[in-house]
Amino acid sequence: MNPALLEVDSVGKQFGGLVALSSVSFDVPRSSVVGLIGPNGSGKTTLLNVINGIYAPDRGSVVLDGVPTKNRSPSDLAASGVSRTFQNARVFSTLSVEQNLFIPLLHRSGGERAKSIKRADELLAFVGLEAHANKTAIELSGGQKRLLEFARALVTKPGLILMDEPFAGVHPQIKATLIRCIQEIVEREGASFLVVSHEVPDLVNLSNFMVCLVEGKVAAAGNPKDVVRNEKVIEGYLGQSDE
Amino acid sequence: MGAQVLTVIIDGLLLGLIYAGIGLGLSLILGVMGVVNVAHSAFIMLGSYFAYELFRRAGIDPIISAALALPVFFLLGSVVYRTLITRVEFTGPTQGLIAMFGLMVLIENLGVIVWTTDARALTTHYTNTSFAIGPAVVAWVKVLAGGLALALIGAAWVFLHYTLTGRAIRAIGQDRDAAAVLGINVHQLLTILFGLGIACAGVAGVLLGMIYPFSPGGQVFWLAWAFLVVVLGGLGSVANTLVAGLVVGIIQTFAGAFVPFEFVYLILYTLLAVILIVRREGLTSVARRSI
Amino acid sequence: MTISAPQLQIKGAVAGYTPAQQILKGVDIAAAPGKITVVLGPNGTGKSTLLKLVAGFVKASEGDVLLNGKNLNALPVHERLGEGIGLLPQGRSAFPDLTVEENIELGGWSLRSDRKRLREAVEAMFVRYPHLEKLRDRRAGTLSGGQQRAVEIARMLVSNPSVLLIDEPSVGLSPIVATQVYKELVELRDEGRTILLVDQDVRAAIKISDYVYVLTSGKNDIQGDRTAFEGDLGSIVRGWLGV
Amino acid sequence: MLSIFFVRKGGAEDRTLRLFGLVFCVLGLGALILYGAIGTKQGILSLLGTVFLYVTLTQAWNILGGYGGYLNFGTATFFGVGAYTTAVLFHHYGLSPFLTAPIAGVMAALLGVIVGVPTLRLRGAYFAIVTMIITFAVQIVVLNASITQGPMGIFLPPLKLSPLALERLFFFMFLGLAVVVTLLVYAIENSNFGWALVAVREDEDAAEVIGVKTTRIKYIANAVATFIIGIAGGIFAQRIMYLDPTTAFSFDISLNVVLMAVIGGAGTWQGPLIAAPLILVVADMLRVTFTSEVNRVIFSIVVIVIALYLPHGAMGFMTSLRQKYFKWRNPKTGDEVASA
Amino acid sequence: QAQEKQPILIGGTLGLTGFLSEGSADYKAVYDRWNDEVNKRGGLLGRPVKLVIYNDESTPAVAQSLYSRLLDQDKVDLLLAPFSTFVGGAVLPIVQSHNKLFFNGGFVSMAMFTNAKGSMIGTYMYQEPDYPRGLFEFIKSLPADKRPKRAAIFTYQSPFPIVVRDGYNGYGGALRFVKEAGIELVVNEQFPANTTDFNALVQKAKGANADMVLHIGQLNDSLQVARTIQQQDYKPAFFCTCGSPVTSIAAWAKLGAAAERAFSGTPAWPTQKHPGLVELSEFFKKERKQDTLPAYAIVAQTILQVIEQAVNGAGTLDQEKLREYIYKSEFKTASGNIRFQENGTPVYSQLLLQFQNGKNEVVFPAKDKTADAILP
Ligand SMILES: Nc1ncnc2c1ncn2[C@@H]1O[C@H](COP(=O)(O)OP(=O)(O)OP(=O)(O)O)[C@@H](O)[C@H]1O
Ligand SMILES: Nc1ncnc2c1ncn2[C@@H]1O[C@H](COP(=O)(O)OP(=O)(O)OP(=O)(O)O)[C@@H](O)[C@H]1O
Ligand SMILES: [Mg+2]
Ligand SMILES: [Mg+2]
């Protein structure tokens, strides 16, 4: 049996005296979507930063495809198929939309690149930005920047995509498109997603597996429907829904 | 040996205070507005001549000139801000750099026209006097200048950290639009800030003029010190500017006492580079979240 | 606390970031006094631009912004607060190097002549948002995304503005906090404030709205009160909105 | 979509303009070569030689500073190291600087790599100022080393040529260097490497995360730039014939290069071609017209006016002209607009 | 006819801005004055004279291109050297490649004079290795108990001061003079350009109990060292600014007590009544409001007198003929009656000045003395 695509094993991370993550463990299986939820400041973004190689964990390990990622730089991981989006969209502001999509393809060669370009066009259409292809990224609205970043994370056909609140501020209709897009990629390409989102109902539908962090610890993990019914999760995160 | 160490420490602290005083204005303007004010040394030069002229013509003591320089240079800075900086500031840091470079050359050469290139020395009745602390001999002017620099730094620190206006100015440096939304008149406060930065340069000029001979083109050498102190302290941080000044001063005098003088600067630069490289953003080095 | 609710009107506004390209192409919106007026629309239609127009960052080339009949067109940004306008911008805007307390205090800039009142207003915010209390002395830049959003909301409210321009308030907030924010908006309305709310969380926004506008391609073409959107007109629009 | 692989800003009109520009460049180069061959005014040849030298330096700076956004205030470090390399090799082994210029480049690049490892982790003003400090530090080393004859400096005997031939020689040396470097920068601008640098400038973290090897890119850019600067310095040593630490490591060199790059429009290959001649010719004209400090006063006013009225450098000005008369889309926004 | 009336062009550069501007200003004043006067006297060879003096911004590279311009475009008839060895070193090769005589009132350098093989005519009365010589000859004339015992030397890291300290090819230099005088050398330090604070250096000399301090540098650093010495309450019996002759510059007097008793050399002094010297001194008093006559002015005046006498005497601008004339004649100048040695320099002569009660006095040699040296 193949190991999981990503294994997060008792990861801990501190900022000065502040414990952002303590002993977090879970797996991201192949061809799946893992939802990551948790109250504000519970360490979700920090976890993505650790997986992604931006921060080195103080404790524990992250294993990608059976290989520990210790000391690997984000770009190195990107080359092995890890990509991500940021909680606050970070686009290359003086470049045009299509140039933004072009940057991840820099290290691709020949035929592969041509394919990727086709994919970039598709993605652009997918997120509804094709009309803006020549706009400078700084001229985009808040939501559009996020869509651009979404597309940028996918052009290289990565195997593992980390998404930090991809749906925030995105119009519902486009959100539905994005969700479909994610599902399709998982099915067709066998990629896996780790999605942080506060839009829990959507995330429950989308993911195969869900993890809830509270104060840097895994408070609940498992089947999404079970997780959101977990008392601790409801109390600490979801609140009493009045619906 | 012990006596020497005492001397070195006293000298280092005084020198450090002066360095911090020189760096202060630069740090404020760079930290909040992102403008690399290379004309800083030109205003320092004007400050020195300000004290010189007041002393020569009206016999006004440079200590009083230091106080007078505050409002005068504040006004000067405000005018420069309104006429020059507002127009370039929005177009990015490098544009400000060019404008300030032009201003520096302009002021320096106007200075040459007015005062010629001759070196001047401001000699008051206490300039050549000194007193002893144990075995160490300390020049009065350095103590005075150091004290004034400390007062200036203290005042700036209180202003920026303990008054609402000061906090608003810091806020502008971090997010100008958000500040405007809160009802803060950004233009006005930046005028104040720039005025203050230049006022600090003017006062620093008076202080330097008290201690060292000067000429229109010569004060530019202090710019390197100012920059050193600013990066070492971290942009826009008053308290750290002080610490950085003292660190530089102490390193310099220690090196001066114990190694051949020609290597003093090399040791100083190397240590500073090492500190910066280890601590990245100088002594401040807050873990700023960018991701 | 009650406030005499002002009325905000945008009349035939044409505005954009460059003269060559107008984003708002004749927008007519009235925010009724003491009501929540919601503006919906796809990404990039100009909702945020509309708020920036009211706040004064963007100048109208045609049309007017009226507050209680007074024309605001010539007022610079910082003076509009004096007219009672508060803005919560889209995205992140907390001052990263100031502490949470200093951030909130600056929200009371307009009260600066009366220190006592300012202090009280600041303390009132910590009472209102108890979870900020323990973050009081942290630098805002080290907070998590959601924590920062909470700081921004508190900061806006310190000066007690009577017209609130809110751009996507709940983005990045955990559900429990988001629910609270919407409740809060209702309370703020009930205190008599006029609220202009822009949101992509269509469902939540409509639920608390009194009146709804839909902005598409720079013009407002559909409008109605809440019942219309929840009722018949709703079914048509809803399909379009993708709820 | 594919268009972006070939041109920075798409569109057929753009291609005509580019053709126009190409023809212009070729004609300009032809004229220069012609003048270099038949011109007899040494002063002008010498001035143009200096212009080409600065075009070379500014272009090299442009690679990391303009495209990569790392404002380097230490050009003089590598220039000086290059100059001293050839001077020392000549002094001790009698090797002609023209032969050893590549070694000068290698030495400068070597130093570039050594100081680059720690400094390229710094950003913004910190990087700028540390690069400046490194110049001072290296200068002091050279000042106290015996191989460089310390403060005494090194004399290189004049070549056995007539003064005019000498000027002509350096005119062509530096012209050649400038052309090669400009072509290189042009190639970089349109290469993957250039794009990666731009990504680093725009948002280094984001670039890293999407797979741009930012560290490597910066090192390479730095090494290439310092290599070129070192070569230029190596040839300069022969031209100036007397090398001392103050001249070779003068901060003016670093500052001039930055000013020229920014005035021309940083991150464009055309910028240095416009700004270097502009600044140097204006300065020279003023110097010989007004023999007193008045020349510097006027020069400073010119600089201030440029800062005020060319907010995005000469190239930005050209772009805006183009937009005005060709009615194209606007790539830059009014900056006073809220980014909220 | 019209050809005849073409002015004679005499070209050169000075660092009118930048760190050499202080001395340059003195040169400029003398040049301008002479230009007026020589034209009043009817010019040279019946032609008017025009001085073309560019500002080299104290930068060697700029000076190079300006000399290139002077020689090639302006086609000057006679060439003046720039001020200071620092700039001169860079210019010399260019001048040599044009086979021009180089009239050098601007700088000293044994090496360069040797190298120029007589094509450079200098009017500094002594070259670097001899700068401190006057002081030591004076010391030799003192009774043994008055002589200094321990010396400290501070040297600016630049070619000229280094040679002042080390001498040239085994000749002269402060180090040798100190040794020959049997003085113990206790501090020997160098300082780089742009040194802003000299406390550490002075502390070292004081700590070593030196009763003699030789400062071999330039103006600004000399002023600072003098002041720091005073502030440190340190009283070396002999303090000499043996680099540049800076006590005769206006700024020195402004130091107050710190200026007192400093020694310095000069090629000549108005009290010697050499041709033009008194008038020059008057001119500086009246026009430049300067009580004391800077040594730079004397050298500048001298080179112009040499040019004038040479051109009129040889009756031509032909460089070869001028050269021939110069080497066989005696010149009556502000620096006295001088003859040129094979390498283009005059025979050594120096006066030792001491700053006393706000002005310079000649204290050595005895025949030119205006006051006795004050020693503690
Ligand atoms: N660079 C840093 N320096 C100091 N503290 C940090 C840093 N990064 C994160 N933290 C702290 O670590 C904790 C976890 O932050 P993180 O951003 O991971 O939360 P999150 O789960 O993503 O929250 P949100 O949902 O609000 O985005 C927070 O308390 C935050 O303040
Ligand atoms: N600073 C700017 N400069 C130029 N154009 C801009 C700028 N900001 C936004 N735009 C353009 O204006 C249009 C409207 O932007 P706006 O931010 O108002 O959209 P929005 O409706 O708020 O969208 P979202 O829901 O994504 O936030 C967009 O097409 C965008 O491209
Ligand atoms: Mg987060
Ligand atoms: Mg928006």
Side-chain angles (χ1 to χ4, degrees):
Chain A
M1 183 60 209
N2 259 354
L5 177 59
L6 181 82
E7 296 162 69
V8 176
D9 185 18
S10 31
V11 162
K13 177 76 196 168
Q14 262 176 274
F15 296 105
L18 186 121
V19 182
L21 294 173
S22 58
S23 204
V24 174
S25 307
F26 65 91
D27 289 353
V28 177
R30 287 165 202 280
S31 288
S32 67
V33 179
V34 175
L36 183 58
I37 57 173
N40 294 127
S42 58
K44 304 182 293 299
T45 302
T46 307
L47 184 59
L48 295 199
N49 286 341
V50 168
I51 296 175
N52 188 217
I54 291 173
Y55 294 149
D58 299 334
R59 263 179 318 290
S61 67
V62 177
V63 180
L64 178 72
D65 244 342
V67 187
T69 63
K70 200 158 179 274
N71 295 335
R72 292 179 70 186
S73 70
S75 55
D76 200 12
L77 287 168
S80 332
V82 181
S83 83
R84 80 168 280 183
T85 68
F86 294 95
Q87 188 165 1
N88 278 272
R90 294 181 74 165
V91 292
F92 302 113
S93 35
T94 66
L95 299 189
S96 75
V97 167
E98 51 176 27
Q99 287 167 348
N100 260 279
L101 290 183
F102 170 55
I103 300 292
L105 306 181
L106 289 175
H107 58 281
R108 304 274 148 144
S109 52
E112 215 189 329
R113 184 186 279 184
K115 260 190 257 158
S116 302
I117 291 170
K118 211 167 123 254
R119 185 181 172 88
D121 282 338
E122 281 167 18
L123 282 166
L124 218 48
F126 220 141
V127 298
L129 284 178
E130 76 265 62
H132 301 288
N134 281 319
K135 260 194 179 169
T136 311
I138 202 173
E139 298 173 81
L140 295 180
S141 77
Q144 289 170 330
K145 282 186 188 138
R146 198 169 282 278
L147 295 172
L148 171 57
E149 208 190 20
F150 184 90
R152 194 180 63 189
L154 293 175
V155 274
T156 53
K157 279 205 183 181
L160 174 66
I161 303 103
L162 315 170
M163 299 211 141
D164 206 346
E165 306 202 12
F167 312 131
V170 171
H171 186 262
Q173 212 173 14
I174 299 188
K175 180 161 67 179
T177 322
L178 297 187
I179 290 176
R180 226 177 314 121
C181 181
I182 292 176
Q183 283 165 339
E184 231 171 84
I185 288 177
V186 171
E187 270 165 35
R188 273 211 321 242
E189 295 164 15
S192 292
F193 283 77
L194 177 59
V195 182
V196 174
S197 178
H198 291 300
E199 316 215 348
V200 181
D202 292 317
L203 198 58
V204 168
N205 287 338
L206 178 63
S207 32
N208 314 97
F209 188 80
M210 188 171 266
V211 178
C212 178
L213 286 183
V214 175
E215 292 182 350
K217 293 191 191 69
V218 177
N223 185 309
K225 296 219 168 63
D226 298 335
V227 170
V228 295
R229 266 189 241 114
N230 185 309
E231 293 239 339
K232 269 202 274 180
V233 174
I234 292 178
E235 199 186 321
Y237 177 57
L238 292 171
Q240 266 0 94
S241 174
D242 43 20
E243 267 167 317
Chain B
M1 185 73 194
Q4 200 178 4
V5 170
L6 178 72
T7 315
V8 165
I9 289 177
I10 294 175
D11 281 346
L13 289 178
L14 291 177
L15 201 58
L17 286 175
I18 290 159
Y19 287 154
I22 300 167
L24 181 61
L26 194 68
S27 169
L28 292 182
I29 291 175
L30 183 56
V32 174
M33 297 173 51
V35 173
V36 184
N37 180 14
V38 287
H40 189 72
S41 62
F43 289 103
I44 288 183
M45 182 272 283
L46 287 183
S48 303
Y49 278 94
F50 176 78
Y52 177 79
E53 290 295 340
L54 285 183
F55 182 70
R56 192 171 65 99
R57 290 168 193 273
I60 295 176
D61 193 289
I63 301 172
I64 298 171
S65 303
L68 293 179
L70 268 178
V72 171
F73 281 82
F74 179 84
L75 216 65
L76 185 63
S78 311
V79 172
V80 170
Y81 180 79
R82 293 273 165 150
T83 51
L84 200 60
I85 310 300
T86 32
R87 315 211 18 200
V88 296
E89 189 197 3
F90 287 102
T91 47
T94 44
Q95 213 59 22
L97 176 73
I98 303 180
M100 297 318 283
F101 170 75
L103 191 63
M104 167 179 119
V105 178
L106 180 66
I107 295 177
E108 258 184 36
N109 287 285
L110 288 179
V112 171
I113 291 174
V114 176
W115 289 292
T116 75
T117 54
D118 293 351
R120 310 288 166 105
L122 217 171
T123 309
T124 63
H125 61 94
Y126 51 80
T127 301
N128 287 318
T129 61
S130 52
F131 63 97
I133 304 179
V137 179
V138 186
W140 270 113
V141 273
K142 278 203 176 167
V143 177
L144 284 174
L148 288 172
L150 188 61
L152 185 68
I153 293 164
W157 191 63
V158 169
F159 173 70
L160 283 177
H161 287 262
Y162 292 99
T163 69
L164 202 59
T165 313
R167 284 177 187 165
I169 287 177
R170 289 201 293 143
I172 290 172
Q174 294 159 37
D175 192 330
R176 188 173 292 206
D177 292 335
V181 168
L182 303 178
I184 295 170
N185 185 343
V186 173
H187 194 47
Q188 187 188 23
L189 289 199
L190 285 182
T191 312
I192 293 179
L193 175 84
F194 200 84
L196 279 180
I198 299 304
C200 291
V203 174
V206 175
L207 303 184
L208 290 181
M210 282 167 79
I211 310 175
Y212 305 100
F214 49 90
S215 62
Q219 297 299 62
V220 69
F221 297 135
W222 294 102
L223 196 59
W225 291 112
F227 272 124
L228 267 181
V229 169
V230 168
V231 284
L232 185 63
L235 303 184
S237 160
V238 176
N240 285 319
T241 303
L242 177 63
V243 177
L246 295 178
V247 168
V248 173
I250 295 271
I251 296 179
Q252 189 187 344
T253 52
F254 258 95
F258 299 112
V259 300
F261 194 80
E262 65 258 38
F263 294 116
V264 169
Y265 291 91
L266 186 60
I267 287 175
L268 186 64
Y269 294 144
T270 311
L271 278 175
L272 292 180
V274 169
I275 295 178
L276 272 177
I277 285 155
V278 173
R279 299 199 45 107
R280 288 221 194 183
E281 311 220 317
L283 299 170
T284 327
S285 198
V286 281
R288 178 82 94 77
R289 290 192 71 175
S290 55
I291 297 178
Chain C
M1 180 159 30
T2 49
I3 286 172
S4 67
Q7 152 141 17
L8 177 69
Q9 271 177 299
I10 295 122
K11 279 193 177 163
V14 176
Y17 297 89
T18 53
Q21 200 186 11
Q22 299 302 351
I23 306 294
L24 304 179
K25 301 163 187 152
V27 175
D28 287 293
I29 279 176
K35 293 278 174 350
I36 295 179
T37 306
V38 172
V39 179
L40 302 174
N43 293 115
T45 46
K47 304 181 297 299
S48 301
T49 309
L50 179 73
L51 297 192
K52 286 186 221 168
L53 172 73
V54 178
F57 287 108
V58 175
K59 298 268 173 285
S61 54
E62 280 171 48
D64 299 303
V65 178
L66 304 172
L67 187 63
N68 278 339
K70 179 177 172 189
N71 194 323
L72 298 184
N73 283 9
L75 277 190
V77 178
H78 63 94
E79 284 178 26
R80 298 197 182 198
L81 192 89
E83 301 293 324
I85 293 178
L87 169 71
L88 182 72
Q90 187 173 15
R92 214 176 266 188
S93 67
F95 303 121
D97 282 344
L98 297 186
T99 64
V100 168
E101 183 173 356
E102 288 171 337
N103 260 285
I104 293 178
E105 199 181 24
L106 276 180
W109 176 253
S110 55
L111 310 175
R112 65 190 177 283
S113 51
D114 185 350
R115 280 310 151 95
K116 198 155 149 276
R117 228 179 100 211
L118 173 59
R119 277 319 310 170
E120 283 165 10
V122 170
E123 291 311 320
M125 282 304 135
F126 282 110
V127 175
R128 199 164 182 159
Y129 300 102
H131 62 284
L132 289 182
E133 178 66 54
K134 63 176 189 297
L135 302 175
R136 205 185 253 266
D137 294 321
R138 288 268 300 274
R139 283 171 191 252
T142 66
L143 301 182
S144 80
Q147 290 165 333
Q148 292 193 27
R149 198 64 178 157
V151 171
E152 288 160 19
I153 294 175
R155 187 179 67 184
M156 172 187 65
L157 290 177
V158 182
S159 68
N160 196 20
S162 53
V163 178
L164 301 182
L165 312 172
I166 313 272
D167 205 346
E168 309 203 340
S170 66
V171 162
L173 295 181
S174 69
I176 200 167
V177 186
T179 317
Q180 201 190 324
V181 165
Y182 285 111
K183 267 199 206 120
E184 181 101 26
L185 289 180
V186 174
E187 278 167 31
L188 289 168
R189 171 190 60 193
D190 295 343
E191 286 167 11
R193 289 173 224 264
T194 304
I195 298 178
L196 189 59
L197 172 65
V198 167
D199 210 335
Q200 290 294 8
D201 191 342
V202 174
R203 203 193 296 257
I206 291 181
K207 210 155 108 202
I208 61 164
S209 68
D210 294 296
Y211 202 81
V212 180
Y213 289 88
V214 174
L215 208 63
T216 39
S217 45
K219 285 208 174 80
N220 51 318
D221 42 23
I222 308 172
Q223 62 188 68
D225 58 14
R226 185 181 65 218
T227 48
F229 274 75
E230 285 179 332
D232 267 358
L233 176 58
S235 62
I236 308 163
V237 180
R238 207 178 304 189
W240 181 86
L241 282 170
V243 178
Chain D
M1 178 78 205
L2 261 171
S3 62
I4 66 165
F5 289 94
F6 305 112
V7 289
R8 195 152 268 248
K9 287 155 197 124
E13 308 92 318
D14 228 351
R15 233 160 280 141
T16 12
L17 259 194
R18 285 158 54 83
L19 195 68
F20 190 72
L22 187 71
V23 170
F24 182 80
C25 286
V26 168
L27 286 182
L29 184 61
L32 284 174
I33 292 176
L34 196 65
Y35 186 82
I38 60 168
T40 51
K41 288 215 158 46
Q42 282 169 44
I44 294 182
L45 285 173
S46 149
L47 175 63
L48 287 176
T50 309
V51 167
F52 302 144
L53 169 63
Y54 270 96
V55 167
T56 307
L57 296 178
T58 310
Q59 289 288 26
W61 182 92
N62 215 2
I63 298 174
L64 185 65
Y67 295 98
Y70 272 74
L71 295 191
N72 191 329
F73 276 75
T75 304
T77 314
F78 309 104
F79 186 76
V81 165
Y84 261 100
T85 305
T86 55
V88 165
L89 286 174
F90 176 83
H91 188 77
H92 292 278
Y93 306 104
L95 298 170
S96 159
F98 294 133
L99 290 177
T100 55
I103 304 179
V106 171
M107 290 297 287
L110 212 61
L111 182 70
V113 171
I114 292 169
V115 302
V117 170
T119 54
L120 282 170
R121 300 171 10 163
L122 301 169
R123 293 185 186 176
Y126 295 98
F127 175 77
I129 294 171
V130 170
T131 53
M132 177 177 99
I133 293 173
I134 287 173
T135 308
F136 299 152
V138 173
Q139 181 181 25
I140 292 177
V141 171
V142 171
L143 198 53
N144 292 296
S146 56
I147 187 171
T148 58
Q149 303 215 77
M152 299 306 294
I154 297 178
F155 276 95
L156 296 118
L159 299 171
K160 305 256 172 300
L161 285 174
S162 76
L164 182 63
L166 213 56
E167 290 299 354
R168 212 165 258 164
L169 175 64
F170 286 107
F171 176 97
F172 281 112
M173 295 264 351
F174 287 127
L175 176 61
L177 209 51
V179 169
V180 170
V181 178
T182 302
L183 288 176
L184 176 71
V185 171
Y186 178 81
I188 286 179
E189 176 167 312
N190 296 290
S191 72
N192 290 345
F193 179 63
W195 282 103
L197 276 172
V198 171
V200 167
R201 176 183 76 201
E202 293 301 320
D203 188 333
E204 189 166 340
D205 298 325
E208 172 75 24
V209 160
I210 62 174
V212 177
K213 302 209 176 302
T214 54
T215 317
R216 195 162 82 192
I217 296 281
K218 287 188 292 183
Y219 288 160
I220 295 175
N222 192 38
V224 171
T226 49
F227 178 72
I228 296 165
I229 295 170
I231 290 184
I235 295 177
F236 174 81
Q238 176 65 67
R239 185 193 194 198
I240 193 158
M241 291 175 281
Y242 169 62
L243 204 63
D244 72 283
T246 321
T247 307
F249 295 97
S250 163
F251 182 60
D252 287 348
I253 298 172
S254 307
L255 193 61
N256 283 341
V257 166
V258 178
L259 285 176
M260 284 175 195
V262 174
I263 285 175
T268 62
W269 62 270
Q270 302 97 324
L273 301 182
I274 301 172
L278 183 76
I279 302 282
L280 290 169
V281 170
V282 167
D284 188 69
M285 272 165 36
L286 289 172
R287 193 149 43 218
V288 296
T289 320
F290 306 93
T291 53
S292 66
E293 50 288 337
V294 176
N295 85 54
R296 299 298 288 167
V297 171
I298 297 175
F299 178 72
S300 67
I301 292 171
V302 172
V303 171
I304 292 175
V305 167
I306 289 178
L308 289 182
Y309 295 99
L310 295 184
H312 296 285
M315 274 313 288
F317 178 69
M318 306 283 258
T319 314
S320 67
L321 274 189
R322 201 174 64 175
Q323 272 152 15
K324 198 159 154 199
Y325 295 106
F326 291 84
K327 295 270 178 284
W328 285 346
R329 72 179 175 75
N330 186 55
K332 274 258 164 350
T333 56
D335 282 294
E336 292 176 56
V337 158
S339 53
Chain E
Q1 268 316 54
Q3 205 69 11
E4 283 288 308
K5 283 291 161 200
Q6 280 270 315
I8 292 178
L9 295 181
I10 306 182
T13 73
L14 290 169
L16 296 172
T17 52
F19 78 103
L20 297 173
S21 53
E22 184 94 29
S24 294
D26 291 333
Y27 276 96
K28 187 76 170 36
V30 176
Y31 286 179
D32 288 345
R33 170 173 175 270
W34 178 79
N35 197 358
D36 285 350
E37 296 195 336
V38 79
N39 282 331
K40 270 189 225 142
R41 288 194 287 270
L44 294 175
L45 306 178
R47 285 164 63 185
V49 173
K50 190 168 163 229
L51 279 180
V52 185
I53 305 296
Y54 293 128
N55 175 9
D56 59 36
E57 293 162 21
S58 311
T59 310
V62 172
Q64 280 193 333
S65 84
L66 288 172
Y67 271 91
S68 202
R69 187 186 175 90
L70 285 167
L71 286 161
D72 175 56
Q73 266 166 278
D74 300 334
K75 301 226 178 335
V76 296
D77 300 293
L78 299 166
L79 209 54
L80 281 167
F83 170 48
S84 132
T85 317
F86 174 66
V87 179
V91 180
L92 188 59
I94 295 186
V95 179
Q96 282 181 311
S97 66
H98 281 77
N99 296 321
K100 276 262 178 202
L101 279 181
F102 201 21
F103 289 94
N104 178 2
F107 61 90
V108 294
S109 168
M110 285 291 261
M112 286 189 243
F113 275 103
T114 311
N115 182 288
K117 302 194 176 64
S119 71
M120 181 156 75
I121 312 298
T123 53
Y124 269 92
M125 299 303 291
Y126 43 92
Q127 300 300 305
E128 320 98 300
D130 278 332
Y131 263 67
R133 185 163 150 190
L135 176 69
F136 284 90
E137 284 180 354
F138 165 65
I139 286 172
K140 255 187 268 167
S141 75
L142 294 174
D145 64 322
K146 286 275 189 192
R147 292 183 198 168
K149 312 274 171 318
R150 301 154 68 81
I153 301 183
F154 308 151
T155 314
Y156 169 46
Q157 289 186 302
S158 185
F160 158 71
I162 298 286
V163 182
V164 173
R165 183 190 65 183
D166 297 349
Y168 179 74
N169 274 351
Y171 171 75
L175 292 178
R176 188 166 292 107
F177 291 132
V178 166
K179 200 162 156 215
E180 280 168 8
I183 301 168
E184 186 189 353
L185 183 65
V186 288
V187 174
N188 181 10
E189 295 266 3
Q190 314 181 48
F191 60 92
N194 311 356
T195 300
T196 43
D197 191 275
F198 286 86
N199 214 351
L201 270 188
V202 173
Q203 296 275 11
K204 277 186 180 162
K206 187 183 177 192
N209 256 329
D211 54 358
M212 171 183 220
V213 173
L214 302 184
H215 179 79
I216 307 175
Q218 291 181 317
L219 175 67
N220 228 358
D221 46 55
S222 305
L223 292 173
Q224 289 203 33
V225 168
R227 187 175 259 187
T228 310
I229 286 179
Q230 176 75 19
Q231 286 171 345
Q232 280 300 319
D233 215 2
Y234 166 42
K235 298 188 173 70
F238 296 82
F239 171 54
C240 178
T241 62
C242 291
S244 304
V246 293
T247 65
S248 59
I249 280 178
W252 194 262
K254 306 269 166 56
L255 284 177
E260 287 297 308
R261 289 193 2 229
F263 290 99
S264 183
T266 186
W269 204 242
T271 48
Q272 290 179 303
K273 308 261 183 340
H274 292 316
L277 205 46
V278 177
E279 294 88 330
L280 192 64
S281 167
E282 288 305 314
F283 168 78
F284 265 77
K285 275 195 188 114
K286 259 207 0 246
E287 302 294 323
R288 305 262 301 155
K289 313 258 175 303
Q290 207 162 319
D291 288 339
T292 167
L293 183 61
Y296 298 129
I298 301 172
V299 192
Q301 179 71 18
T302 308
I303 193 72
L304 296 170
Q305 287 170 322
V306 169
I307 288 178
E308 191 169 347
Q309 187 182 331
V311 171
N312 284 335
T316 171
L317 291 170
D318 182 273
Q319 304 282 308
E320 258 322 298
K321 299 218 172 90
L322 279 176
R323 181 174 173 150
E324 225 171 85
Y325 178 89
I326 287 169
Y327 281 100
K328 62 174 211 275
S329 315
E330 185 178 71
F331 289 82
K332 297 187 175 4
T333 71
S335 304
N337 290 355
I338 57 179
R339 277 185 171 280
F340 289 97
Q341 315 175 83
E342 217 168 291
N343 66 0
T345 61
V347 182
Y348 170 85
S349 106
Q350 186 183 126
L351 304 179
L352 184 67
L353 297 175
Q354 189 182 34
F355 204 76
Q356 300 178 355
N357 299 320
K359 59 192 222 290
N360 283 294
E361 300 286 356
V362 181
V363 296
F364 190 82
K367 69 176 168 54
D368 293 313
K369 193 151 94 173
T370 60
D372 281 325
I374 302 177
L375 297 173

